[in-house]
Amino acid sequence: MAQKKNSLVANLNRRKKAGTSRPKSRSTVSEKAYGDMKKGWPTKKKSARKSS
C-alpha cells in the first residue's frame, strides 16, 4: 500500500501542476518548514527492472 502524502506537500504539488503561484512575499511555507519537509522526503533511487 502506498504511503499517503502529507496534505501540505499534496497542495504544493496540486498548485504547481495547475500553474497557480503567488509571490514569495506571500508564501505560506517558511524556508525552515520547507527544509524540514525536504529532510523527511525519500531520496531518489533508480528502480531496477527485470527484463523478461
Side-chain angles (χ1 to χ4, degrees), residues 3-51:
Q3 184 179 12
K4 187 176 179 182
K5 286 193 174 189
N6 179 329
S7 62
L8 180 59
V9 174
N11 286 335
L12 286 171
N13 291 334
R14 178 180 46 82
R15 288 179 62 88
K16 183 167 52 172
K17 185 176 180 182
T20 307
S21 62
R22 56 170 68 98
K24 192 167 187 171
S25 61
R26 293 188 60 216
S27 174
T28 59
V29 181
S30 69
E31 293 286 330
K32 182 180 184 306
Y34 188 73
D36 290 341
M37 276 195 302
K38 281 176 63 173
K39 287 178 187 174
W41 292 340
T43 57
K44 290 184 180 179
K45 293 181 182 178
K46 290 185 179 180
S47 60
R49 284 186 153 178
K50 289 184 179 180
S51 57

